[in-house]
Amino acid sequence: MKFLGNVLATIVGLFVFFMLFFFGFLIIGALFGGDSDKVTVKDNSVIEFNLGNISNDYAGKYSDPLVTLFSGEANVGVSDVISAIEAAKTDDNIKGISILNNTSTIGIAQMKALRDQLEDFKKSGKFVVAYADVYSQREYYLNSVADTIYLNPVGEMDFKGLSSEIMFYKDLQEKSGVKMEVIRHGKYKSAVEPFLENKMSDANREQVSSLLNSVWNSIVTDIAKSRKIPVAKLNEIAENLLARTPEMARSQKLIDKIAYEDEYRNAIKKALKVEKDEDYNSITITDYAQKTATSPKNTDADDKIAIIYAQGEIKSGEGDVSYIGEGSMRRSLQEARKDKNVKAIVLRIDSPGGSALTSDLIWREIELTKKTKPVVVSMGNLAASGGYYIACNANTIFAEANTITGSIGVFGILPNFTQLSQKIGINTETVKTHKNAAEYSPFQPLDTDFRAITQESVERIYAVFVNRVAAGRKMTFEQVDAIGQGRVWSGSEALKIGLVDKIGGMDDALAAAAKLGKIKNYKTQNYPEYEKTFEDMIASFPFAKTKESLIKEEIGTENYEIFQKVKKISTQKGIQTMMPFEISIK
């Protein structure tokens, strides 16, 4: 046994040694090899535009420099890409942008912001061209901004309108014995509907249909402008799938040329006056974005506008690039508030909501900040439920036409395993000193008194939510309640009912903030700076995700997503101000 122990100790020691050696080598290389990795832009270059590794507006910055050091390409956000396109407009070395087989997971509002920036870039006289082997509907929306659009001869195009599929679990609950006890306020709070019904309610169908049509109208309006095709004609093409092949897409004027990638590249060479047997100079959008992000801007300006990014689900804790926590958000607002050079704040929100308590803590910090500095909200893909809660008291609210917002409603879900435990022979008994001494038990039927108390809590938080919105938007409780009830609205619909002030993107929000802050020449400063250590980062490396990969391999990606949804709901604590459903627009 002692021998085996010594062998095991030796193996562990060798493993630790090699791990320390590996990370030490990486750190030394990163620290001393920075100059050799410096990004340079050659004359007569083209930006290769692919957003495959980019998803968030804000890539984040961290108090631990090692975390930032090893972030790599992930250290670029959509906001950095937009700034890079703006810089490229006046960069003499950049002659155009090539969108080549772009694939991304960014949302439609982010697509809209990028599209608008590409439209502005074209005003410089530089070209934007696009090529794809296959055009998804999402990617075509972005690519349609190009001067010339290419499609592979044996490729295809997806242009058919929008849809959303919602899964229902009522029968599964009855068969499995696992029931979700639901307490809610709001007839549109359909986040919980899948656990109550086997089909979509009329109220839910109404809001989803209205939302999809509003988002679709904003998409085809942009495409119509770029391609000079009437909206009615685009709807006809979508209705009858008249662009499903390259030849059909070209005949409908959705694309310009049918060609292979080498022919597409030769066309770029011709535009750059480069010989066919030579390669043209290029730089990826991520490299160019990193270069421009580290270049000083408006260095002579003392005044600043703080941009605070709130992206992801709202939870308790510090927060990170993928979720909103009160720690980083409150600290960011306090730092911006105390900085005498910060004259205004733009809060960029991309969130479906989450914890009601955390939402209110952030709301309170914004309320305190407004007493000394103006706060302007810029909504991205989502600013729903808790995401709208933290926006409602801003001085001015901007949304994109296709932003998903509203969802003023509250719900709670309690998983109950009573039927399952009975099926497998488990029985539980509780002993208590007082009537309400015991906490909720998932192994006993939901007590009527507990349900009543929880419902009271839900109603109280809903009333607080509605009052917060009413005060922030200068409306009555009844007016907010009428457009609340958990209903989701598009940005263009929200403008009509008073939930937002203007349709516009980040640039519009910055301009409004500058006006409210009474400044003209200013620089921006991004927040939050997350308190994340290098040890936290190591925990997220691929070798730490073996279990996730194994589960996906065994049960499949789609089943794994269902598993994650059930797991996510079971871990939610407290009352939720969450968007009423997880929408995936296709």
Side-chain angles (χ1 to χ4, degrees):
M1 291 298 291
K2 186 176 181 181
F3 170 75
L4 290 175
N6 290 336
V7 171
L8 181 61
T10 302
I11 293 172
V12 171
L14 287 170
F15 176 76
V16 171
F17 170 78
F18 282 117
M19 289 299 292
L20 290 172
F21 177 81
F22 173 72
F23 284 111
F25 181 79
L26 285 179
I27 292 169
I28 292 169
L31 291 175
F32 295 99
D35 291 339
S36 62
D37 295 332
K38 187 177 180 180
V39 176
T40 57
V41 184
K42 297 178 181 178
D43 183 37
N44 210 32
S45 288
V46 173
I47 292 176
E48 292 184 344
F49 194 91
N50 193 312
L51 306 178
N53 295 318
I54 299 171
S55 57
N56 294 317
D57 283 331
Y58 177 52
K61 56 184 177 180
Y62 302 90
S63 55
D64 187 337
L66 285 177
V67 177
T68 303
L69 190 66
F70 288 100
S71 295
E73 282 195 336
N75 202 28
V76 172
V78 172
S79 60
D80 298 310
V81 173
I82 290 172
S83 296
I85 299 170
E86 182 181 11
K89 184 180 176 181
T90 55
D91 188 336
D92 293 336
N93 291 324
I94 299 297
K95 303 303 179 185
I97 295 175
S98 166
I99 310 174
L100 176 59
N101 282 321
N102 178 57
T103 56
S104 65
T105 58
I106 64 173
I108 294 175
Q110 290 170 312
M111 286 279 194
K112 165 70 173 171
L114 287 165
R115 213 177 172 285
D116 289 347
Q117 197 62 54
L118 288 168
E119 281 280 16
D120 184 67
F121 173 83
K122 286 164 56 178
K123 293 176 182 178
S124 66
K126 301 177 181 182
F127 63 79
V128 176
V129 291
Y131 175 93
D133 291 325
V134 175
Y135 277 119
S136 69
Q137 196 161 239
R138 172 194 295 270
E139 298 304 338
Y140 180 73
Y141 174 51
L142 177 66
N143 283 254
S144 64
V145 75
D147 302 300
T148 309
I149 303 175
Y150 293 73
L151 179 58
N152 187 295
V154 290
E156 57 186 42
M157 175 176 284
D158 186 23
F159 193 79
K160 58 188 179 185
L162 304 179
S163 67
S164 181
E165 184 178 69
I166 298 174
M167 196 174 292
F168 293 83
Y169 309 103
K170 185 179 179 182
D171 283 351
L172 175 64
Q173 292 177 99
E174 292 175 356
K175 291 177 181 179
S176 67
V178 178
K179 182 182 180 183
M180 295 296 179
E181 297 286 359
V182 174
I183 300 102
R184 63 173 174 171
H185 181 103
K187 63 180 180 180
Y188 292 98
K189 259 302 172 194
S190 45
V192 295
E193 187 175 270
F195 300 105
L196 301 174
E197 305 292 341
N198 268 332
K199 62 179 182 178
M200 192 179 291
S201 66
D202 292 340
N204 193 12
R205 186 173 294 278
E206 174 193 353
Q207 73 166 342
V208 174
S209 178
S210 177
L211 178 67
L212 290 178
N213 279 296
S214 182
V215 172
W216 174 254
N217 286 337
S218 71
I219 288 172
V220 291
T221 298
D222 286 340
I223 295 174
K225 183 179 178 182
S226 295
R227 299 300 299 171
K228 296 179 174 56
I229 304 173
V231 169
K233 179 62 177 176
L234 289 172
N235 282 319
E236 180 189 339
I237 295 169
E239 181 73 18
N240 299 293
L241 302 179
L242 299 180
R244 59 187 183 274
T245 68
E247 292 76 17
M248 294 173 76
R250 184 173 60 182
S251 70
Q252 298 296 339
K253 299 181 180 179
L254 290 185
I255 66 169
D256 300 293
K257 295 186 179 182
I258 300 172
Y260 287 100
E261 186 179 325
D262 60 288
E263 297 173 294
Y264 167 77
R265 289 185 180 277
N266 285 336
I268 293 177
K269 290 178 183 179
K270 185 178 180 180
L272 297 173
K273 297 179 181 178
V274 172
E275 296 296 327
K276 279 191 175 183
D277 57 349
E278 296 180 6
D279 292 330
Y280 57 83
N281 295 326
S282 65
I283 183 171
T284 66
I285 188 61
T286 51
D287 281 346
Y288 191 75
Q290 285 179 328
K291 179 183 183 300
T292 56
T294 56
S295 302
K297 300 172 187 175
N298 290 358
T299 52
D300 60 327
D302 291 324
D303 294 332
K304 294 186 290 186
I305 294 179
I307 304 176
I308 301 177
Y309 290 88
Q311 53 194 28
E313 189 176 335
I314 300 174
K315 304 178 184 180
S316 62
E318 167 63 15
D320 202 345
V321 292
S322 58
Y323 79 96
I324 302 166
E326 77 273 8
S328 56
M329 288 300 298
R330 294 176 71 187
R331 187 171 62 251
S332 297
L333 286 160
Q334 289 166 9
E335 288 175 4
R337 191 164 72 228
K338 294 172 184 176
D339 188 337
K340 62 181 179 61
N341 291 325
V342 172
K343 305 302 181 184
I345 295 166
V346 171
L347 180 63
R348 174 70 172 183
I349 302 173
D350 190 357
S351 172
S355 166
L357 175 58
T358 303
S359 299
D360 195 68
L361 291 172
I362 297 170
W363 173 90
R364 175 59 180 170
E365 208 64 57
I366 293 170
E367 194 72 5
L368 294 173
T369 303
K370 276 174 54 186
K371 293 179 180 179
T372 57
K373 296 175 184 181
V375 178
V376 175
V377 161
S378 170
M379 293 180 172
N381 301 311
L382 290 165
S385 208
Y388 187 77
Y389 196 126
I390 65 175
C392 69
N393 61 334
N395 296 91
T396 308
I397 301 176
F398 285 84
E400 296 284 11
N402 46 27
T403 294
I404 297 173
T405 189
S407 186
I408 301 166
V410 181
F411 72 88
I413 296 179
L414 300 168
N416 192 281
F417 308 111
T418 302
Q419 293 180 25
L420 175 62
S421 61
Q422 289 173 350
K423 285 180 181 179
I424 61 177
I426 296 175
N427 183 50
T428 60
E429 297 286 345
T430 302
V431 179
K432 50 190 176 182
T433 60
H434 295 77
K435 180 181 178 182
N436 298 306
E439 295 182 350
Y440 170 74
S441 171
F443 299 102
Q444 294 184 16
L446 182 63
D447 182 79
T448 53
D449 288 341
F450 184 88
R451 176 181 284 277
I453 292 168
T454 307
Q455 184 69 49
E456 180 184 285
S457 180
V458 166
E459 297 297 337
R460 178 178 63 84
I461 292 174
Y462 178 75
V464 171
F465 193 169
V466 172
N467 277 316
R468 297 276 191 257
V469 176
R473 303 304 300 163
K474 296 179 174 56
M475 301 166 73
T476 66
F477 184 97
E478 290 72 24
Q479 287 174 321
V480 177
D481 187 43
I483 57 177
Q485 302 288 327
R487 175 155 183 172
V488 171
W489 306 90
S490 70
S492 55
E493 292 173 324
L495 177 66
K496 296 175 184 176
I497 60 176
L499 290 181
V500 305
D501 296 297
K502 297 177 181 179
I503 298 298
M506 179 63 87
D507 285 345
D508 300 297
L510 285 169
K515 186 175 181 180
L516 289 172
K518 299 177 181 178
I519 54 175
K520 292 184 178 179
N521 187 33
Y522 64 89
K523 53 190 174 186
T524 60
Q525 183 171 342
N526 291 339
Y527 295 86
E529 180 179 283
Y530 303 107
E531 293 185 350
K532 182 178 180 180
T533 66
F534 188 55
E535 288 78 8
D536 296 329
M537 184 179 181
I538 291 175
S540 66
F541 277 6
F543 59 73
K545 297 182 178 179
T546 307
K547 182 174 72 173
E548 176 184 329
S549 301
L550 285 172
I551 295 173
K552 281 185 178 180
E553 186 176 339
E554 289 299 319
I555 69 175
T557 302
E558 291 185 357
N559 290 329
Y560 180 77
E561 289 176 359
I562 296 172
F563 166 74
Q564 287 294 92
K565 288 177 184 177
V566 174
K567 181 181 176 183
K568 175 181 172 183
I569 289 169
S570 66
T571 58
Q572 287 174 342
K573 296 180 180 179
I575 303 300
Q576 301 291 307
T577 51
M578 177 71 82
M579 182 179 162
F581 50 89
E582 187 172 310
I583 187 166
S584 175
I585 297 177
K586 303 175 182 177

